[in-house]
Amino acid sequence: MSRVEKFLTQEEEQEIVQAILEAERNTSGEIRVHLESHTQKDHFERAKEVFHVLKMDNTKDNNGVLIYVAVNDRKFVIYGDKGINAVVPKNFWNNTRDAIQAQFKKENFKQGIIDGILSAGEELEAHFPWHHGDQNELSNEVSKG
């Protein structure tokens, strides 16, 4: 079993899925989590690539958010789509980053991801509120590479 497979238990992954459902309840934004062991690439560039592979750039409002974690590298990236970046201030993701980082420093990885998801949902709600008829456009499952 790889470190990615051991990073979260099945129960922890389900808690993350529940956090995504909760975070997306009040926003049309779409949040995903992707885990992989390591990348030779710059982490931001790899997150951008994964974002595209997961077809997160195909949402109606271009408001997808990827929380990318390279487990062995001990790095994470929060990558938001162009629709988000066009309307938010430069430091928009700082609260989400800080929420994740605080828990990761204590090796509370599941809680860090959950805190990041909930923070992202709150941040997105102000700019992309949920409207009647909005549909969940992306899977909420944790993806792995």
Side-chain angles (χ1 to χ4, degrees):
M1 186 178 286
S2 73
R3 281 190 71 179
V4 171
E5 296 299 321
K6 290 191 233 175
F7 188 67
L8 299 169
T9 66
Q10 281 291 81
E11 293 79 22
E12 290 172 327
E13 282 190 32
Q14 286 311 303
E15 289 179 60
I16 288 169
V17 169
Q18 288 305 310
I20 291 170
L21 291 169
E22 181 179 333
E24 290 180 352
R25 187 172 294 135
N26 297 314
T27 179
S28 63
E30 296 285 338
I31 302 168
R32 293 215 53 194
V33 174
H34 181 82
L35 308 174
E36 61 185 22
S37 60
H38 167 74
T39 182
Q40 298 285 349
K41 299 178 179 184
D42 171 79
H43 292 91
F44 180 82
E45 290 302 316
R46 179 62 182 146
K48 184 176 169 182
E49 185 177 270
V50 168
F51 190 90
H52 179 70
V53 168
L54 295 175
K55 299 189 182 325
M56 293 184 68
D57 48 2
N58 290 338
T59 61
K60 180 179 67 141
D61 294 325
N62 296 310
N63 59 354
V65 177
L66 175 65
I67 297 175
Y68 165 85
V69 181
V71 175
N72 295 351
D73 300 344
R74 301 181 76 82
K75 301 275 186 183
F76 70 90
V77 172
I78 304 159
Y79 187 85
D81 205 351
K82 62 187 173 195
I84 297 169
N85 296 333
V87 298
V88 300
K90 191 171 183 78
N91 62 354
F92 183 72
W93 293 116
N94 288 0
N95 289 340
T96 302
R97 178 202 62 212
D98 294 347
I100 295 171
Q101 209 162 37
Q103 292 295 336
F104 274 26
K105 284 181 180 179
K106 299 182 226 174
E107 298 197 6
N108 296 331
F109 302 114
K110 175 205 72 169
Q111 195 58 51
I113 293 169
I114 288 173
D115 289 356
I117 290 165
L118 296 176
S119 174
E122 288 174 17
E123 299 286 341
L124 287 170
E125 184 179 355
H127 297 278
F128 298 95
W130 185 88
H131 297 289
H132 182 72
D134 281 345
Q135 294 181 357
N136 189 3
E137 298 177 78
L138 300 173
S139 169
N140 296 326
E141 298 299 315
V142 174
S143 61
K144 297 174 186 159

